Amino acid sequence: MKIGMLTSGGDCQSLNAAMRGVAKTLYNNSNDVEIYGFLDGYKGMITKNYKLMKEEDFSGILTEGGTILGTSRTPFKYINEPDEEGRDKVAGMIKTYKDLKLDCLVMLGGNGSHKTAALLSQKGLNVVTLPKTIDNDIEGTEMSFGFQSAIDVATRTIDEIHTTAASHSRVFIVEIMGHKTGWLTLHSGIAGGADIILIPEIPYNVDEVLNTIRKREKQGKKFTIIAMAEGAISDEDAKLSKKELKEKRKTYTFPSVAYQLSDELQKKAGQEVRVTIPGHVQRGGIPSASDRILATRIGVEAAGLILRKDYGNMVCIKDGKFSKIPLEEVAGKTKMVNVDNELIRQAESLGISLVRKA
């Protein structure tokens, strides 16, 4: 049995744990397994840059962050364009697969990476995938590995802002990763005791944010902590078309939405507002225990699909149980936070403001 394996897109915690789960299960349930690790994501498959892995390569990596194979982004919108050396990307990957006589390609990745995986499956390659992202926004699965570890990091940041916010009676904005969805901000905001949570799915109004701060001040609360997704958008900008918004953003002088909101609040309130951005720290470092368990179990399930020759699927979690979903049902879709989500309702019951209209 010859298996290709790669990690694609942004890195996150527990990629190594997931690969270990796949490899150990295959080694323990098949007498003849060869695993070819493609270096730096799909790029390694395109250029035939790989390493024939040994069983010991998958030992001692359970607690390591990042990925032992390296990763890179190969944007799907450019997948049919030649690479920097003029190579046909798709043809290159298919050729590498066939030259190595692989039985299956195992891909660990997020939304964009799954589009490419689905394409390769449609081209006749046997593909099995694992859902990886700190954003938890992959369609078809309740949970992706990397998410819980990122929540822990983001929550610790909010935790540690509390004391300085209280000491100086300031408003603090903690900008959390999440361009399109607010899962990470919502979870870490609740876990960290944020007073206001701003996510992409619920456009915010600056005056309403200010009203919430003023309401807290009247209650004798001298500081406010805002957990804000990097993809949060004002209600004014939400009314614009994609083209109009793109043109408007060209005029922005702020490095991120958090700094823009900070400037607007300071001008309107005359109050000190500070911004903290944990950034890539959120997807780095040692994976949490819960993520290690989840990634390992997903890896075991992926190996099971391979052993049963059940290709063209992503391992997923449905109703708390492990299952599978066809790649074509995953590719090109993003799992957004439903504004009627139970967690949002519970957050608002706690008094956390999501600054939305009643």
Side-chain angles (χ1 to χ4, degrees):
M1 183 186 295
K2 292 186 176 183
I3 306 298
M5 185 179 289
L6 63 84
T7 54
S8 175
D11 69 324
C12 76
Q13 303 91 334
S14 282
L15 278 165
N16 291 324
M19 288 189 283
R20 172 181 175 273
V22 175
K24 282 185 171 288
T25 303
L26 291 177
Y27 288 136
N28 286 326
N29 290 276
S30 180
N31 295 324
D32 187 17
V33 177
E34 289 183 355
I35 297 179
Y36 295 79
F38 294 109
L39 307 182
D40 301 327
Y42 285 118
K43 185 185 294 184
M45 195 173 180
I46 294 167
T47 62
K48 209 172 184 180
N49 185 17
Y50 65 87
K51 173 184 178 183
L52 178 57
M53 309 296 285
K54 299 177 182 177
E55 193 165 349
E56 54 264 33
D57 290 330
F58 297 98
S59 296
I61 64 172
L62 178 64
T63 62
E64 287 186 23
T67 163
I68 60 172
L69 294 180
T71 189
S72 66
R73 298 186 188 277
T74 304
F76 184 77
K77 64 180 178 179
Y78 302 125
I79 199 67
N80 291 313
E81 296 181 10
D83 69 6
E84 58 274 10
E85 295 185 22
R87 283 180 290 249
D88 183 314
K89 300 187 187 80
V90 177
M93 287 188 280
I94 294 173
K95 185 176 187 303
T96 295
Y97 182 97
K98 291 182 176 180
D99 286 349
L100 292 176
K101 298 180 180 179
L102 298 180
D103 294 295
C104 180
L105 172 68
V106 176
M107 193 284 295
L108 297 80
N111 286 321
S113 300
H114 270 87
K115 291 181 184 179
T116 300
L119 175 63
L120 293 176
S121 179
Q122 291 166 7
K123 295 287 185 180
L125 276 58
N126 297 329
V127 183
V128 168
T129 69
L130 290 72
K132 172 272 328 173
T133 173
I134 68 169
D135 295 322
N136 198 38
D137 62 352
I138 297 178
E139 182 65 34
T141 185
E142 294 169 6
M143 187 69 67
S144 56
F145 63 85
F147 181 52
Q148 290 294 338
S149 297
I151 289 174
D152 287 352
V153 176
T155 299
R156 283 198 299 271
T157 302
I158 297 172
D159 287 346
E160 292 169 3
I161 286 299
H162 268 85
T163 54
T164 187
S167 297
H168 291 276
S169 300
R170 285 176 176 161
V171 175
F172 263 89
I173 303 173
V174 181
E175 186 179 288
I176 308 299
M177 279 187 162
H179 277 296
K180 296 181 180 179
T181 64
W183 293 107
L184 181 54
T185 304
L186 181 60
H187 281 254
S188 59
I190 292 173
D195 307 299
I196 298 172
I197 295 176
L198 305 178
I199 61 176
E201 293 88 345
I202 303 177
Y204 67 87
N205 179 278
V206 178
D207 290 328
E208 287 301 316
V209 174
L210 185 57
N211 288 340
T212 302
I213 295 171
R214 291 288 181 252
K215 182 179 178 180
R216 285 179 52 78
E217 290 172 348
K218 289 178 182 179
Q219 295 171 341
K221 298 171 183 177
K222 297 182 178 180
F223 71 93
T224 297
I225 294 178
I226 303 172
M228 184 177 195
E230 62 183 334
I233 186 171
S234 69
D235 53 5
E236 180 183 335
D237 285 351
K239 295 175 184 176
L240 302 176
S241 65
K242 287 185 178 180
K243 184 177 180 180
E244 290 171 333
L245 183 58
K246 186 176 181 180
E247 288 300 313
K248 182 176 180 180
R249 284 177 172 169
K250 288 180 181 179
T251 66
Y252 286 175
T253 58
F254 303 100
S256 70
V257 293
Y259 283 100
Q260 179 185 349
L261 178 60
S262 170
D263 181 72
E264 290 174 325
L265 289 176
Q266 287 185 109
K267 286 178 178 177
K268 286 177 177 287
Q271 183 177 5
E272 281 190 300
V273 181
R274 293 289 183 267
V275 174
T276 296
I277 303 179
H280 286 75
V281 172
Q282 292 164 93
R283 67 187 203 203
I286 298 172
S288 67
S290 59
D291 246 350
R292 295 177 208 176
I293 295 169
L294 177 63
T296 298
R297 295 179 71 188
I298 288 176
V300 171
E301 292 299 315
L305 292 177
I306 296 167
L307 291 168
R308 295 192 298 273
K309 299 182 179 180
D310 195 355
Y311 307 124
N313 294 300
M314 179 188 81
V315 176
C316 66
I317 300 174
K318 294 180 180 178
D319 300 323
K321 296 181 180 180
F322 286 91
S323 185
K324 64 180 181 179
I325 182 170
L327 291 176
E328 61 266 24
E329 294 183 23
V330 177
K333 298 178 181 179
T334 302
K335 182 180 69 179
M336 309 296 288
V337 177
N338 189 317
V339 295
D340 295 321
N341 183 286
E342 184 179 56
L343 194 57
I344 288 180
R345 177 181 60 76
Q346 292 164 343
E348 291 178 325
S349 294
L350 288 169
I352 298 172
S353 175
L354 280 99
V355 199
R356 61 169 172 168
K357 296 178 181 178

